[in-house]
Amino acid sequence: MENIEFIANVKKEMAELKEHGVHIEGDQFAIWFLTKILREPIDVSIERYHIGGAGDHKLDIGIIDDDHTAIVLGQVKYCATPLERVFSPDLPQEILNAKSRLLDFPEVGNERRKEFAKQYIAIEKERSERLFAIGFGQFSKEAIVFANKSKVEIYDFAKIKQRYIYNEVPGNQPEPDSIDITHPEFVIENDIASISARQWIFLANAAEIYYAVKDYQDSIFQQNLRYRLENSAKSGIGSEITKGILSTDTYDALSVFNNGITMVANKVTQNDGKFKVINPQIVNGCQTSWAIYDAYYQLDEAGEDISLRGTKVLIKLIEVSGSSLISKITETTNTQNAIKPRDLHANDDCQALISRYFSAMPRKIYYEYKAGDWEKIIRLNKQGAFRVKGKLYRKISNEDAAQLFLALIGRPYWAKQNKGKIFSDKDYYDMIFGVNLSDKERFDKPFVGGGITASTGADNFCKDVVFGYSLYALAEALKAIYLEKIETYGGKPASDEEMKAFVFLSENFKFMRIWHYLLIATIQYVVQKWKQRGKDESLIRSSLIGSDVDIFFGSPGPLASKFAKCEDKTLYLVLDEEKPSSDYATFAHWAVSIASKLAEEVAKSKSDPAYRFQAFIDQRAETFASLKEWIDGLRAGGAKQMSIYFPLPDDAPSS
């Protein structure tokens, strides 16, 4: 990709952020960097990770949450003519200043910055951190040298472009046929007859790993359980390795503090003082390899002769035959480290089976159950089968699918509260993904407590998840409408009637920002009640979400436009009372009924000293139980009573 084409792509993609309410160029570039380079979700990037704006006090990016083991602080500079711009040491100095001001002046700046400062002060001594100086241009040699000494990671035009191509352009990396590694003087070599393998253990110049990653990037890690950790700001391990190499005090200590790299190959020969490694694959040490690359990139840019750096990395080189043995080595060398429970289920038969059923749907859906597999699809240019339009795809991760399924089986409070058990607790895992088990084997467990109405089987699981995903997207659309309604008051209602409505909506309806799983569970409960009255479940679901799933895999804006906001500021309503939606009328009526009832429950519960808003919606089983009790009462009153609150289309037949 030529520089001019890349710059044009960046400007185009930045302009598209206007659809998300981001209009200032500098803010657009910061969010573009978060989403395109660090691969963070766009909604979280806009709402939380982007600190910048008026009163940011030179802090554009700030990340502290449970999804990241490292704190991330970043200062971003955008230039429309990056090939002409050269950044001085002032830019890396700015992020150092921003870090100091978080500690010294936590109460100044915009609200997002103040809130982030509180989090930072509370946790900064407990976590490692990554400092980014991000400039869309070049950095002077003095700036790079200063950044290296200050342990600031630089992202200049060249590095940003390289990472963009890696992330966004398919088929960019060649497969590694062979690499050469200098044969050191001291090597431990032995044959392992029981598995027909040979291994060599030695210290190698880290520069050789840098060149291997530079030439082959992720294709050299394809067998690794930690595939594609190089772009993630989530881990602090890689950052500490990079800092250690850049430090003049600890550059030679990598082999002492790091477990090194395990590399497998189909054949290894030794000639002219070098190992020739045929079909190499790094199966352990992905983060180490990318951290070496990041450090040596900055040293290279600063003009240092990296071959003389002297950093050594421990290498275990194994010659094997057969993919099963490679898989075994991959698994066993990684289980000692911080591998996520989800990754350990990546090769389960049930996950592959579910993936096949999602791909067999009329509108193919990509089921992401192996970290990094989607990036392989992109690089092989096979993503077209899942495309909605542009860069929007029908794609669901197994983690998202699990949370949606928990809501659909009537456990919305588990979807968030027990998210950590999905892959780490066998009973939970089997209950969710055990699609080949019988209903009794899958759901008849003491901790479940009965009352599960779902049917087993991969086909049913996929249909359930798509229904849940669609409802979640509709809940996001309602959230957008709710926030728009609140904004119409401008913080200054014009009359007492408007003030009362504003207070009621802002306090008692604010659950619409986070009620997604609770709404899914309640709607599915109503569907089951209609099914018990002989109505066809699939037709009821279709009347709620329609037949075109593509709209649910896009941004919330187009979907929100399908609903009509209540324009009367004196009414305690979010949606228009007469015609809330022409496209999703059934869903809109049901959602309005549930929202009204839930607002009543919130209003009643607020007087309880133990009331906590988020826990009331996300974690409290009694909240869902009270909604079910209300629905059971409606059902007991007959179909006519049910239809007042949860109408069905006139043509909804009985099964």
Side-chain angles (χ1 to χ4, degrees):
M1 180 183 290
E2 297 297 326
N3 288 339
I4 299 302
E5 181 187 358
F6 170 58
I7 293 168
N9 283 354
V10 174
K11 290 180 178 179
K12 177 178 176 291
E13 290 166 357
M14 284 169 55
E16 290 171 356
L17 290 170
K18 291 178 182 177
E19 296 180 10
H20 297 271
V22 185
H23 298 282
I24 299 173
E25 209 170 49
D27 294 343
Q28 290 173 351
F29 182 66
I31 293 166
W32 177 89
F33 180 85
L34 279 162
T35 56
K36 297 297 184 180
I37 306 303
L38 297 187
R39 310 295 279 176
E40 300 293 352
I42 189 167
D43 54 342
V44 180
S45 296
I46 292 172
E47 294 176 10
R48 287 166 46 199
Y49 298 161
H50 178 232
I51 308 296
D56 65 354
H57 281 254
K58 301 296 183 183
L59 181 64
D60 292 318
I61 292 172
I63 302 176
I64 298 176
D65 58 24
D66 291 338
D67 290 332
H68 298 73
T69 58
I71 299 168
V72 177
L73 306 178
Q75 175 64 8
V76 181
K77 293 290 186 185
Y78 173 73
C79 177
T81 55
L83 301 179
E84 303 169 12
R85 179 68 186 272
V86 178
F87 294 101
S88 71
D90 289 347
L91 181 48
Q93 182 64 60
E94 282 188 17
I95 192 58
L96 295 171
N97 292 343
K99 173 186 173 180
S100 297
R101 283 194 291 263
L102 285 171
L103 298 170
D104 297 336
F105 307 104
E107 296 300 328
V108 301
N110 60 35
E111 290 304 315
R112 192 173 296 185
R113 193 263 185 194
K114 291 177 185 176
E115 182 60 32
F116 182 81
K118 291 179 184 176
Q119 292 179 282
Y120 182 77
I121 290 170
I123 207 170
E124 58 101 9
K125 292 181 180 178
E126 300 174 14
R127 295 191 184 183
S128 60
E129 64 185 16
R130 305 184 71 176
L131 305 179
F132 292 164
I134 304 146
F136 201 52
Q138 303 170 67
F139 282 71
S140 68
K141 182 177 178 179
E142 293 77 15
I144 296 171
V145 170
F146 175 74
N148 291 348
K149 290 180 178 178
S150 305
K151 300 179 181 178
V152 173
E153 297 179 51
I154 277 183
Y155 277 84
D156 59 5
F157 177 85
K159 186 174 180 180
I160 292 170
K161 177 186 173 184
Q162 180 199 52
R163 293 296 172 94
Y164 178 86
I165 291 173
Y166 174 83
N167 288 335
E168 301 292 324
V169 180
N172 186 58
Q173 290 76 38
E175 294 291 326
D177 295 324
S178 67
I179 62 171
D180 290 336
I181 300 176
T182 301
H183 193 300
E185 184 177 345
F186 181 75
V187 178
I188 297 174
E189 179 180 353
N190 67 309
D191 292 320
I192 303 98
S194 62
I195 57 173
S196 301
R198 284 198 301 162
Q199 74 171 349
W200 298 262
I201 301 173
F202 55 92
L203 290 174
N205 190 327
E208 297 191 278
I209 297 300
Y210 164 70
Y211 287 120
V213 175
K214 182 179 180 181
D215 291 342
Y216 298 108
Q217 298 194 32
D218 72 337
S219 64
I220 204 168
F221 304 108
Q222 285 176 347
Q223 296 289 343
N224 200 314
L225 285 172
R226 295 195 191 182
Y227 181 63
R228 269 204 60 77
L229 287 181
E230 82 298 347
N231 275 338
S232 175
K234 293 178 170 59
S235 173
I237 299 171
S239 175
E240 291 304 306
I241 295 170
T242 299
K243 290 177 184 176
I245 296 172
L246 291 175
S247 171
T248 55
D249 297 325
T250 59
Y251 72 91
D252 59 350
L254 176 63
S255 59
V256 176
F257 298 120
N258 183 266
N259 289 332
I261 293 167
T262 301
M263 183 183 297
V264 299
N266 295 135
K267 187 173 181 60
V268 178
T269 62
Q270 302 177 59
N271 293 301
D272 300 325
K274 291 182 179 293
F275 288 107
K276 180 168 280 296
V277 185
I278 311 298
N279 296 325
Q281 296 283 309
I282 293 175
V283 298
N284 181 264
C286 181
Q287 285 188 97
T288 299
S289 302
W290 276 106
I292 289 170
Y293 172 82
D294 282 338
Y296 273 75
Y297 175 86
Q298 290 194 200
L299 293 169
D300 208 3
E301 288 289 293
E304 182 172 326
D305 185 345
I306 58 176
S307 65
L308 302 177
R309 184 67 176 174
T311 301
K312 303 291 186 182
V313 60
L314 182 66
I315 300 237
K316 181 195 289 185
L317 177 60
I318 308 172
E319 182 186 80
V320 298
S321 59
S323 58
S324 60
L325 183 54
I326 292 175
S327 297
K328 181 67 174 177
I329 294 170
T330 302
E331 181 179 350
T332 54
T333 57
N334 278 284
T335 50
Q336 61 189 308
N337 298 309
I339 298 300
K340 291 183 178 180
R342 179 191 180 212
D343 295 327
L344 297 176
H345 289 287
N347 294 319
D348 289 359
D349 291 341
C350 62
Q351 297 294 340
L353 177 64
I354 292 168
S355 177
R356 290 197 295 272
Y357 271 88
F358 270 120
S359 292
M361 286 185 150
R363 304 289 283 169
K364 288 186 175 184
I365 295 173
Y366 184 79
Y367 180 65
E368 190 173 20
Y369 64 97
K370 288 186 178 182
D373 261 12
W374 176 249
E375 283 73 18
K376 287 196 283 186
I377 292 290
I378 293 288
R379 267 180 285 290
L380 293 171
N381 204 19
K382 294 181 178 180
Q383 71 273 27
F386 310 100
R387 181 178 281 114
V388 176
K389 65 175 182 178
K391 292 184 179 178
L392 297 175
Y393 300 94
R394 293 180 297 278
K395 184 162 64 84
I396 298 175
S397 72
N398 57 349
E399 186 172 63
D400 288 340
Q403 289 180 279
L404 293 167
F405 188 75
L406 286 172
L408 286 162
I409 63 172
R411 305 299 187 271
Y413 37 89
W414 285 354
K416 285 189 177 180
Q417 190 176 6
N418 293 352
K419 181 180 175 182
K421 291 186 176 182
I422 291 171
F423 297 101
S424 63
D425 187 303
K426 186 179 185 303
D427 285 335
Y428 262 75
Y429 182 82
D430 288 345
M431 177 188 66
I432 296 166
F433 296 112
V435 292
N436 280 338
L437 301 175
S438 68
D439 287 357
K440 182 175 178 63
E441 290 173 315
R442 188 175 175 191
F443 301 124
D444 189 8
K445 302 174 185 290
F447 77 94
V448 176
I452 303 295
T453 56
S455 298
T456 198
D459 184 40
N460 288 322
F461 179 83
C462 293
K463 289 176 181 176
D464 285 341
V465 168
V466 171
F467 179 58
Y469 189 93
S470 303
L471 292 179
Y472 193 98
L474 288 165
E476 274 290 290
L478 293 186
K479 170 185 171 181
I481 297 292
Y482 168 74
L483 294 174
E484 187 181 326
K485 172 77 174 185
I486 294 299
E487 286 177 4
T488 61
Y489 292 95
K492 296 179 180 179
S495 65
D496 289 343
E497 290 77 11
E498 284 191 15
M499 176 59 81
K500 290 177 182 177
F502 169 72
V503 171
F504 188 86
L505 289 171
S506 60
E507 291 186 0
N508 296 335
F509 274 82
K510 67 178 180 179
F511 59 78
M512 294 185 76
R513 296 184 290 128
I514 62 169
W515 71 326
H516 301 38
Y517 293 117
L518 182 58
L519 179 64
I520 292 168
T522 308
I523 286 178
Q524 176 61 10
Y525 191 74
V526 176
V527 169
Q528 291 301 315
K529 293 304 169 185
W530 276 123
K531 183 180 178 182
Q532 290 169 9
R533 283 194 161 272
K535 299 296 182 181
D536 186 282
E537 181 176 11
S538 64
L539 290 176
I540 299 172
R541 286 184 169 187
S542 180
S543 72
L544 287 161
I545 65 172
S547 57
D548 182 12
V549 300
D550 279 3
I551 194 170
F552 302 120
F553 290 89
S555 59
L559 193 54
S561 69
K562 304 292 184 182
F563 295 87
K565 179 177 87 267
C566 175
E567 299 293 346
D568 190 335
K569 296 182 183 179
T570 65
L571 296 179
Y572 296 11
L573 298 173
V574 175
L575 295 180
D576 182 78
E577 192 170 19
E578 296 297 322
K579 195 173 183 180
S581 175
S582 55
D583 295 85
Y584 300 99
T586 303
F587 169 81
H589 283 296
W590 288 29
V592 166
S593 297
I594 296 167
S596 298
K597 180 61 178 176
L598 192 53
E600 290 179 16
E601 296 293 321
V602 170
K604 286 191 299 185
S605 300
K606 282 193 303 183
S607 59
D608 186 343
Y611 172 80
R612 296 292 182 273
F613 163 67
Q614 189 150 355
F616 185 83
I617 301 299
D618 278 347
Q619 302 170 15
R620 188 173 175 270
E622 291 80 4
T623 302
F624 182 49
S626 66
L627 291 173
K628 291 196 295 181
E629 184 179 353
W630 167 62
I631 293 164
D632 289 341
L634 296 177
R635 182 181 182 276
K640 187 175 291 187
Q641 182 75 3
M642 277 276 288
S643 295
I644 294 173
Y645 295 91
F646 302 107
L648 294 176
D650 294 337
D651 58 348
S654 299
S655 57

